[in-house]
Amino acid sequence: MAHRVTGVLIFFFLFVHVLDTALVRVSPEDYDKVVSTYKTPIVACLEYGLVAAILFHALNGLRVIAVDFWAKGARYQKQMLWTVVGVWVVLMIGAIYPVLGHAARVVFGS
């Protein structure tokens, strides 16, 4: 279920990203306004959520491939899921500073 939800969320992000990028040809001033809103701490938190969705979707996709193409994949499905979750947590902890560092400096000061 989480794989499908993250896939839909990523799809909607890509849809919005294409729309806001296309805005530069229609109105560069409005594009600049939109891009300036992306530099807010709230959007940084949303970006962290996007990173979470992409990482989980990618790692779980590898697990799904293993289940489908490895003869013993179905037998080890639960262990692979917990491995995916463990790797995902470690990577998300590692992504805190690169993704949220600027937002923390804006909110709490340097």
Side-chain angles (χ1 to χ4, degrees), residues 16-107:
V16 170
H17 180 62
V18 167
L19 288 178
D20 73 1
T21 303
L23 186 61
V24 75
R25 301 199 31 86
V26 176
S27 173
E29 297 83 19
D30 289 337
Y31 175 78
D32 290 339
K33 289 177 190 175
V34 169
V35 169
S36 69
T37 63
Y38 291 163
K39 296 176 184 175
T40 63
I42 293 171
V43 174
C45 292
L46 293 173
E47 285 177 346
Y48 189 71
L50 176 65
V51 169
I54 290 171
L55 276 176
F56 181 81
H57 193 79
L59 293 170
N60 193 56
L62 293 173
R63 182 189 69 85
V64 169
I65 291 170
V67 168
D68 287 346
F69 292 107
W70 182 33
K72 297 179 183 179
R75 184 181 309 156
Y76 295 108
Q77 180 172 313
K78 190 179 236 181
Q79 292 89 339
M80 287 189 291
L81 175 63
W82 286 110
T83 301
V84 163
V85 170
V87 170
W88 178 77
V89 167
V90 168
L91 291 173
M92 288 307 299
I93 290 170
I96 289 174
Y97 182 75
V99 177
L100 296 176
H102 176 71
R105 285 187 296 276
V106 168
V107 172

